[in-house]
Amino acid sequence: MSQIPQDIIERVRDSADIVDVVSQYVDLKQRGPNFFGLCPFHNEKTPSFSVAPAKQIYYCFGCNSGGNAFSFLMDYQQISFPDAVKVLGDRYNIPISLERSDGDSELYSSLYKLHEIAVQLYQDNLFSKSGQKALSYLKDRGLNEDMIKQFKIGFAEDSWDQLVKKCKGRGFTRSQIVQSGLFSQSDKGTFDRFRSRIMFPVFHPSGKPIAFGGRIFESDDPAKYLNSPETPLYRKSEVFYGLHKTRDSIRKFSTAILVEGYTDFLQLVQLGIPNVVALSGTALGINHANQIRKFASKVYLAYDGDDAGVNATLRAGYVLFQAGVEPLVIPMPNDKDPDDWVREEGVSAFQEAMGSSMSLLLFHLQKKDVKNLSATDRSRTVKEILKEGGMMDEKGKLKLKGVSPKMLKRMKQEFVECPVLKDEIHFIQCFVCTNFQSRVM
């Protein structure tokens, strides 16, 4: 790997001014020797975010975030330390040279370049004669041209080597080609991975393209969606679709609306809902939850209304719960996804459903039809909920260590007050709440 020499890091650190860096993102006002503003890392009405130029540090008295210019950029832009050094180096005109610890020190820059070439090629295709039908399809789905261009949606032609030819002779090594995830290899050579597909680029929080999701178009390929494989740039368990555009709105409202599909995301953003984010080729995992927790304390789950969507909602909700994020569920009409629903009923129907969203626990109990279960099945359902929430092991033993006391208290209250369980309150109190007593009182 390539490393930034320590003397360069120190030079950038000495040149960067914390007030100058932070004031690009936060409206600061001087009070005495320090500067204050609204914290960019949590929602607040009274400024508790302090910047101390004498010490070159920042600190929030509300959420306890703090650090220097590097850590501020890392947290705000969700970038790595080397990327933060490069951003500040560019700002203060300090060339960033790399120490080469192996023969592949330019891998990352080459992979970024390959993806930039692919994004441009696919978007050029979409707005050419070969992409007319694909473009019409997108517009018929309700996406306007501004959204298509803003998110750089494109089209991969039915060609085995269009991208191969585009990248040929540009100095990329075979290793870089293989590791990009944009091509397939066989004993016959190298071929384009994506063919006859509408292409949705996936972006790093910094705005650089790192992967693709491709939807089949006018082809008999049985795979409706084909996603990039994991690469040095792309880790599915850590990446959200669209976060590079909606991160600031999510942080502003301290809430996020999580959807499963690219078009679900695009429709909601186009209709004026700014704090949306989507998954990218995988189910929600703990790394996702830990990432979204930096921006939002609540996440509204807006998954498909079919059985698979309900099960995915429950899985995602309990992952968020374990990470200390409050999960709320926006029930979808049966067999509808957010994309179809808002196009048919309008954004007001979605907003109304969001306003009447339900807790994960209530959603789970309703889907289990718990009121009509026997006492034995109710007991089994409660145990299932505790296991999903990470509060009980497979042997039925409670394990509350590491679970957020705030989330435990909320679940206790919901168990007791949940309308679905009004006839079984005593049962729930005896089975669950007394076990929570020492943790949540």
Side-chain angles (χ1 to χ4, degrees):
M1 292 180 60
S2 301
Q3 296 180 338
I4 301 174
Q6 188 61 36
D7 62 325
I8 298 293
I9 294 174
E10 295 298 333
R11 183 181 168 195
V12 172
R13 180 184 286 115
D14 292 342
S15 300
D17 176 73
I18 188 71
V19 175
D20 180 40
V21 173
V22 173
S23 63
Q24 295 177 75
Y25 311 97
V26 180
D27 183 18
L28 296 175
K29 295 188 187 280
Q30 188 167 11
R31 294 207 313 251
N34 296 334
F35 292 77
F36 290 82
L38 295 175
C39 180
F41 304 119
H42 81 286
N43 195 23
E44 63 176 10
K45 295 181 179 179
T46 303
S48 62
F49 185 83
S50 170
V51 178
K55 297 180 180 179
Q56 286 296 301
I57 60 172
Y58 68 91
Y59 181 77
C60 176
F61 295 93
C63 68
N64 300 317
S65 64
N68 59 19
F70 293 137
S71 55
F72 178 85
L73 284 179
M74 290 167 66
D75 287 343
Y76 190 87
Q77 294 190 10
Q78 283 293 288
I79 58 178
S80 66
F81 176 75
D83 285 340
V85 175
K86 291 174 184 175
V87 169
L88 290 176
D90 289 341
R91 180 168 181 79
Y92 294 98
N93 297 315
I94 299 173
I96 306 298
S97 60
L98 301 177
E99 293 177 333
R100 300 189 177 184
S101 55
D102 56 45
D104 201 23
S105 62
E106 297 181 0
L107 173 64
Y108 281 81
S109 60
S110 295
L111 295 184
Y112 281 126
K113 183 62 177 177
L114 282 164
H115 280 82
E116 289 168 359
I117 292 170
V119 166
Q120 189 62 57
L121 173 65
Y122 296 147
Q123 193 159 52
D124 288 346
N125 287 344
L126 184 66
F127 289 95
S128 71
K129 185 176 180 179
S130 67
Q132 284 180 351
K133 289 184 178 180
L135 182 59
S136 295
Y137 169 83
L138 289 169
K139 290 182 176 180
D140 289 343
R141 294 281 295 183
L143 295 177
N144 61 42
E145 195 164 303
D146 179 66
M147 285 294 292
I148 292 169
K149 290 181 176 179
Q150 183 180 349
F151 287 89
K152 301 185 179 180
I153 301 169
F155 177 63
E157 295 181 354
D158 186 14
S159 168
W160 290 93
D161 61 357
Q162 188 190 27
L163 184 58
V164 169
K165 290 179 179 176
K166 195 73 175 178
C167 296
K168 190 174 181 180
R170 303 186 111 176
F172 298 113
T173 67
R174 177 174 175 78
S175 175
Q176 292 162 358
I177 292 291
V178 170
Q179 293 187 72
S180 71
L182 297 171
F183 306 94
S184 299
Q185 308 291 322
S186 76
D187 54 3
K188 295 182 180 179
T190 300
F191 306 96
D192 292 5
R193 176 181 295 274
F194 298 100
R195 301 179 299 278
S196 293
R197 291 185 179 273
I198 294 173
M199 301 297 290
F200 298 89
V202 178
F203 295 89
H204 184 273
S206 65
K208 294 181 179 180
I210 56 174
F212 287 93
R215 189 195 189 284
I216 197 66
F217 186 76
E218 294 194 338
S219 171
D220 57 3
D221 191 320
K224 181 178 178 181
Y225 273 95
L226 179 65
N227 297 299
S228 291
E230 295 217 339
T231 70
L233 296 183
Y234 180 52
R235 295 286 184 266
K236 296 179 183 180
S237 64
E238 300 173 358
V239 174
F240 286 105
Y241 177 77
L243 186 61
H244 67 298
K245 291 288 189 181
T246 62
R247 176 183 56 220
D248 290 346
S249 293
I250 292 171
R251 182 184 283 117
K252 176 182 178 181
F253 296 113
S254 194
T255 61
I257 300 166
L258 179 63
V259 296
E260 289 187 287
Y262 304 128
T263 55
D264 297 331
F265 169 92
L266 293 165
Q267 287 287 358
L268 292 176
V269 171
Q270 180 174 282
L271 290 170
I273 299 178
N275 54 328
V276 191
V277 72
L279 295 169
S280 175
T282 189
L284 186 84
I286 193 62
N287 289 337
H288 288 120
N290 288 334
Q291 184 177 355
I292 204 69
R293 184 180 61 190
K294 297 177 181 178
F295 310 118
S297 59
K298 294 181 181 180
V299 170
Y300 292 85
L301 297 163
Y303 282 23
D304 294 359
D306 57 12
D307 289 343
V310 169
N311 292 331
T313 297
L314 292 173
R315 287 194 300 270
Y318 286 113
V319 170
L320 291 166
F321 177 88
Q322 290 187 52
V325 179
E326 181 180 0
L328 298 167
V329 180
I330 303 175
M332 291 289 123
N334 290 339
D335 299 323
K336 295 286 185 183
D337 57 31
D339 177 13
D340 295 329
W341 191 29
V342 297
R343 283 190 294 112
E344 294 173 8
E345 302 294 334
V347 70
S348 60
F350 183 88
Q351 291 171 325
E352 288 174 10
M354 185 177 172
S356 58
S357 60
M358 64 178 68
S359 71
L360 179 69
L361 176 63
L362 177 57
F363 180 77
H364 193 158
L365 294 172
Q366 282 190 354
K367 293 302 177 181
K368 287 289 184 179
D369 194 21
V370 72
K371 285 189 68 174
N372 295 317
L373 297 179
S374 66
T376 299
D377 287 339
R378 288 199 305 270
S379 174
R380 185 180 296 112
T381 298
V382 171
K383 289 181 180 179
E384 177 185 324
I385 290 170
L386 294 175
K387 288 177 181 177
E388 292 286 350
M391 295 172 286
M392 179 178 283
D393 62 24
E394 292 301 319
K395 296 180 180 179
K397 183 179 179 181
L398 287 173
K399 51 171 190 175
L400 304 182
K401 184 178 181 181
V403 181
S404 164
K406 179 181 178 182
M407 300 303 291
L408 282 175
K409 188 172 184 178
R410 182 174 291 115
M411 179 166 277
K412 171 188 172 180
Q413 182 178 354
E414 289 178 356
F415 264 127
V416 175
E417 297 180 356
C418 178
V420 179
L421 294 174
K422 62 182 179 181
D423 298 325
E424 293 85 22
I425 288 176
H426 178 69
F427 164 79
I428 297 298
Q429 285 176 321
C430 293
F431 187 83
V432 182
C433 297
T434 54
N435 292 291
F436 289 171
Q437 194 78 14
S438 64
R439 288 279 298 183
V440 302
M441 297 300 290

mmCIF file of all heavy atoms in Angstrom, residues 303-307 310 330-338 340-342 344-345 349-350 353 367:
data_model
loop_
_atom_site.group_PDB
_atom_site.id
_atom_site.type_symbol
_atom_site.label_atom_id
_atom_site.label_comp_id
_atom_site.label_asym_id
_atom_site.label_seq_id
_atom_site.Cartn_x
_atom_site.Cartn_y
_atom_site.Cartn_z
ATOM 1 N N TYR A 303 -39.610 -0.305 3.387
ATOM 2 C CA TYR A 303 -39.304 -1.445 2.526
ATOM 3 C C TYR A 303 -40.559 -1.878 1.764
ATOM 4 O O TYR A 303 -41.663 -1.411 2.018
ATOM 5 C CB TYR A 303 -38.790 -2.604 3.366
ATOM 6 C CG TYR A 303 -37.343 -2.478 3.814
ATOM 7 C CD1 TYR A 303 -36.706 -1.234 3.892
ATOM 8 C CD2 TYR A 303 -36.600 -3.596 4.176
ATOM 9 C CE1 TYR A 303 -35.395 -1.120 4.311
ATOM 10 C CE2 TYR A 303 -35.285 -3.494 4.597
ATOM 11 C CZ TYR A 303 -34.685 -2.253 4.665
ATOM 12 O OH TYR A 303 -33.386 -2.145 5.072
ATOM 13 N N ASP A 304 -40.381 -2.809 0.833
ATOM 14 C CA ASP A 304 -41.505 -3.310 0.043
ATOM 15 C C ASP A 304 -42.573 -3.919 0.942
ATOM 16 O O ASP A 304 -42.280 -4.424 2.034
ATOM 17 C CB ASP A 304 -41.022 -4.359 -0.959
ATOM 18 C CG ASP A 304 -40.099 -3.767 -2.017
ATOM 19 O OD1 ASP A 304 -39.851 -2.541 -1.967
ATOM 20 O OD2 ASP A 304 -39.620 -4.520 -2.881
ATOM 21 N N GLY A 305 -43.829 -3.903 0.451
ATOM 22 C CA GLY A 305 -44.939 -4.377 1.260
ATOM 23 C C GLY A 305 -45.213 -5.867 1.163
ATOM 24 O O GLY A 305 -46.155 -6.353 1.800
ATOM 25 N N ASP A 306 -44.425 -6.611 0.379
ATOM 26 C CA ASP A 306 -44.652 -8.055 0.288
ATOM 27 C C ASP A 306 -44.003 -8.782 1.458
ATOM 28 O O ASP A 306 -43.380 -8.168 2.332
ATOM 29 C CB ASP A 306 -44.125 -8.589 -1.051
ATOM 30 C CG ASP A 306 -42.643 -8.290 -1.271
ATOM 31 O OD1 ASP A 306 -41.954 -7.883 -0.311
ATOM 32 O OD2 ASP A 306 -42.168 -8.461 -2.407
ATOM 33 N N ASP A 307 -44.154 -10.098 1.495
ATOM 34 C CA ASP A 307 -43.630 -10.881 2.623
ATOM 35 C C ASP A 307 -42.118 -10.739 2.760
ATOM 36 O O ASP A 307 -41.600 -10.623 3.876
ATOM 37 C CB ASP A 307 -43.990 -12.365 2.453
ATOM 38 C CG ASP A 307 -45.481 -12.624 2.666
ATOM 39 O OD1 ASP A 307 -46.150 -11.751 3.254
ATOM 40 O OD2 ASP A 307 -45.966 -13.682 2.231
ATOM 41 N N VAL A 310 -41.421 -7.418 4.367
ATOM 42 C CA VAL A 310 -41.729 -7.422 5.797
ATOM 43 C C VAL A 310 -40.602 -8.086 6.583
ATOM 44 O O VAL A 310 -40.145 -7.569 7.614
ATOM 45 C CB VAL A 310 -43.067 -8.140 6.057
ATOM 46 C CG1 VAL A 310 -43.259 -8.400 7.559
ATOM 47 C CG2 VAL A 310 -44.218 -7.317 5.518
ATOM 48 N N ILE A 330 -42.578 2.444 8.295
ATOM 49 C CA ILE A 330 -43.625 3.022 7.454
ATOM 50 C C ILE A 330 -44.275 1.859 6.703
ATOM 51 O O ILE A 330 -43.680 1.311 5.771
ATOM 52 C CB ILE A 330 -43.040 4.037 6.455
ATOM 53 C CG1 ILE A 330 -42.287 5.147 7.189
ATOM 54 C CG2 ILE A 330 -44.142 4.624 5.581
ATOM 55 C CD1 ILE A 330 -41.580 6.118 6.264
ATOM 56 N N PRO A 331 -45.461 1.430 7.117
ATOM 57 C CA PRO A 331 -46.087 0.277 6.454
ATOM 58 C C PRO A 331 -46.397 0.577 4.996
ATOM 59 O O PRO A 331 -46.994 1.605 4.671
ATOM 60 C CB PRO A 331 -47.375 0.054 7.263
ATOM 61 C CG PRO A 331 -47.166 0.790 8.549
ATOM 62 C CD PRO A 331 -46.293 1.960 8.209
ATOM 63 N N MET A 332 -45.988 -0.310 4.124
ATOM 64 C CA MET A 332 -46.271 -0.176 2.698
ATOM 65 C C MET A 332 -47.549 -0.942 2.354
ATOM 66 O O MET A 332 -47.827 -1.980 2.957
ATOM 67 C CB MET A 332 -45.116 -0.765 1.875
ATOM 68 C CG MET A 332 -43.827 0.009 1.925
ATOM 69 S SD MET A 332 -43.913 1.567 1.028
ATOM 70 C CE MET A 332 -43.478 2.674 2.351
ATOM 71 N N PRO A 333 -48.315 -0.462 1.377
ATOM 72 C CA PRO A 333 -49.443 -1.268 0.882
ATOM 73 C C PRO A 333 -48.930 -2.611 0.379
ATOM 74 O O PRO A 333 -47.791 -2.724 -0.090
ATOM 75 C CB PRO A 333 -50.003 -0.425 -0.272
ATOM 76 C CG PRO A 333 -49.525 0.971 0.001
ATOM 77 C CD PRO A 333 -48.195 0.818 0.679
ATOM 78 N N ASN A 334 -49.774 -3.627 0.475
ATOM 79 C CA ASN A 334 -49.369 -4.967 0.046
ATOM 80 C C ASN A 334 -48.870 -4.958 -1.395
ATOM 81 O O ASN A 334 -49.492 -4.377 -2.287
ATOM 82 C CB ASN A 334 -50.540 -5.945 0.176
ATOM 83 C CG ASN A 334 -50.878 -6.221 1.626
ATOM 84 O OD1 ASN A 334 -50.046 -6.024 2.519
ATOM 85 N ND2 ASN A 334 -52.096 -6.676 1.869
ATOM 86 N N ASP A 335 -47.737 -5.633 -1.571
ATOM 87 C CA ASP A 335 -47.150 -5.815 -2.907
ATOM 88 C C ASP A 335 -46.799 -4.505 -3.607
ATOM 89 O O ASP A 335 -46.762 -4.436 -4.841
ATOM 90 C CB ASP A 335 -48.083 -6.646 -3.802
ATOM 91 C CG ASP A 335 -48.334 -8.037 -3.237
ATOM 92 O OD1 ASP A 335 -47.392 -8.610 -2.674
ATOM 93 O OD2 ASP A 335 -49.472 -8.523 -3.345
ATOM 94 N N LYS A 336 -46.553 -3.457 -2.822
ATOM 95 C CA LYS A 336 -46.095 -2.191 -3.380
ATOM 96 C C LYS A 336 -44.722 -1.867 -2.814
ATOM 97 O O LYS A 336 -44.385 -2.242 -1.689
ATOM 98 C CB LYS A 336 -47.044 -1.053 -3.011
ATOM 99 C CG LYS A 336 -48.439 -1.172 -3.601
ATOM 100 C CD LYS A 336 -48.443 -0.862 -5.085
ATOM 101 C CE LYS A 336 -49.868 -0.872 -5.620
ATOM 102 N NZ LYS A 336 -49.907 -0.649 -7.086
ATOM 103 N N ASP A 337 -43.912 -1.169 -3.622
ATOM 104 C CA ASP A 337 -42.674 -0.611 -3.101
ATOM 105 C C ASP A 337 -42.812 0.910 -3.100
ATOM 106 O O ASP A 337 -43.757 1.453 -3.693
ATOM 107 C CB ASP A 337 -41.457 -1.077 -3.909
ATOM 108 C CG ASP A 337 -41.547 -0.733 -5.389
ATOM 109 O OD1 ASP A 337 -42.164 0.305 -5.729
ATOM 110 O OD2 ASP A 337 -40.996 -1.480 -6.213
ATOM 111 N N PRO A 338 -41.929 1.623 -2.418
ATOM 112 C CA PRO A 338 -42.081 3.082 -2.352
ATOM 113 C C PRO A 338 -42.141 3.753 -3.719
ATOM 114 O O PRO A 338 -42.892 4.726 -3.910
ATOM 115 C CB PRO A 338 -40.842 3.525 -1.565
ATOM 116 C CG PRO A 338 -40.509 2.352 -0.707
ATOM 117 C CD PRO A 338 -40.827 1.152 -1.554
ATOM 118 N N ASP A 340 -43.358 2.550 -6.663
ATOM 119 C CA ASP A 340 -44.704 2.408 -7.230
ATOM 120 C C ASP A 340 -45.724 3.243 -6.458
ATOM 121 O O ASP A 340 -46.588 3.902 -7.053
ATOM 122 C CB ASP A 340 -45.139 0.938 -7.199
ATOM 123 C CG ASP A 340 -44.278 0.056 -8.083
ATOM 124 O OD1 ASP A 340 -43.789 0.563 -9.112
ATOM 125 O OD2 ASP A 340 -44.088 -1.124 -7.748
ATOM 126 N N TRP A 341 -45.625 3.202 -5.139
ATOM 127 C CA TRP A 341 -46.630 3.843 -4.294
ATOM 128 C C TRP A 341 -46.680 5.354 -4.512
ATOM 129 O O TRP A 341 -47.746 5.928 -4.710
ATOM 130 C CB TRP A 341 -46.353 3.496 -2.836
ATOM 131 C CG TRP A 341 -47.443 3.880 -1.890
ATOM 132 C CD1 TRP A 341 -48.777 3.973 -2.178
ATOM 133 C CD2 TRP A 341 -47.291 4.214 -0.513
ATOM 134 N NE1 TRP A 341 -49.482 4.335 -1.047
ATOM 135 C CE2 TRP A 341 -48.594 4.494 -0.011
ATOM 136 C CE3 TRP A 341 -46.203 4.297 0.344
ATOM 137 C CZ2 TRP A 341 -48.812 4.854 1.311
ATOM 138 C CZ3 TRP A 341 -46.430 4.647 1.666
ATOM 139 C CH2 TRP A 341 -47.717 4.921 2.139
ATOM 140 N N VAL A 342 -45.514 6.001 -4.472
ATOM 141 C CA VAL A 342 -45.532 7.467 -4.603
ATOM 142 C C VAL A 342 -45.890 7.899 -6.016
ATOM 143 O O VAL A 342 -46.457 8.980 -6.209
ATOM 144 C CB VAL A 342 -44.182 8.091 -4.160
ATOM 145 C CG1 VAL A 342 -43.923 7.821 -2.693
ATOM 146 C CG2 VAL A 342 -43.026 7.601 -5.021
ATOM 147 N N GLU A 344 -48.107 6.349 -7.855
ATOM 148 C CA GLU A 344 -49.547 6.151 -7.984
ATOM 149 C C GLU A 344 -50.355 7.065 -7.064
ATOM 150 O O GLU A 344 -51.394 7.598 -7.457
ATOM 151 C CB GLU A 344 -49.895 4.687 -7.689
ATOM 152 C CG GLU A 344 -49.348 3.706 -8.713
ATOM 153 C CD GLU A 344 -49.562 2.265 -8.302
ATOM 154 O OE1 GLU A 344 -50.266 2.027 -7.290
ATOM 155 O OE2 GLU A 344 -49.027 1.363 -8.985
ATOM 156 N N GLU A 345 -49.879 7.241 -5.837
ATOM 157 C CA GLU A 345 -50.662 7.966 -4.828
ATOM 158 C C GLU A 345 -50.122 9.360 -4.521
ATOM 159 O O GLU A 345 -50.794 10.151 -3.866
ATOM 160 C CB GLU A 345 -50.711 7.142 -3.531
ATOM 161 C CG GLU A 345 -51.299 5.756 -3.688
ATOM 162 C CD GLU A 345 -52.772 5.786 -4.055
ATOM 163 O OE1 GLU A 345 -53.444 6.788 -3.717
ATOM 164 O OE2 GLU A 345 -53.241 4.829 -4.695
ATOM 165 N N ALA A 349 -49.258 10.861 0.310
ATOM 166 C CA ALA A 349 -49.634 9.584 0.927
ATOM 167 C C ALA A 349 -48.460 9.009 1.708
ATOM 168 O O ALA A 349 -48.624 8.467 2.814
ATOM 169 C CB ALA A 349 -50.091 8.597 -0.145
ATOM 170 N N PHE A 350 -47.268 9.137 1.141
ATOM 171 C CA PHE A 350 -46.075 8.638 1.837
ATOM 172 C C PHE A 350 -45.818 9.454 3.098
ATOM 173 O O PHE A 350 -45.496 8.906 4.148
ATOM 174 C CB PHE A 350 -44.872 8.697 0.895
ATOM 175 C CG PHE A 350 -43.609 8.141 1.488
ATOM 176 C CD1 PHE A 350 -43.319 6.794 1.383
ATOM 177 C CD2 PHE A 350 -42.708 8.961 2.164
ATOM 178 C CE1 PHE A 350 -42.154 6.266 1.938
ATOM 179 C CE2 PHE A 350 -41.557 8.449 2.721
ATOM 180 C CZ PHE A 350 -41.280 7.097 2.596
ATOM 181 N N ALA A 353 -48.174 8.484 5.819
ATOM 182 C CA ALA A 353 -47.797 7.201 6.406
ATOM 183 C C ALA A 353 -46.592 7.355 7.312
ATOM 184 O O ALA A 353 -46.493 6.716 8.374
ATOM 185 C CB ALA A 353 -47.504 6.189 5.297
ATOM 186 N N LYS A 367 -47.639 -8.190 12.690
ATOM 187 C CA LYS A 367 -47.401 -9.170 11.634
ATOM 188 C C LYS A 367 -47.494 -10.597 12.163
ATOM 189 O O LYS A 367 -47.815 -11.521 11.415
ATOM 190 C CB LYS A 367 -46.034 -8.924 10.991
ATOM 191 C CG LYS A 367 -45.949 -7.610 10.213
ATOM 192 C CD LYS A 367 -46.999 -7.544 9.125
ATOM 193 C CE LYS A 367 -46.986 -6.219 8.386
ATOM 194 N NZ LYS A 367 -48.045 -6.157 7.346
#
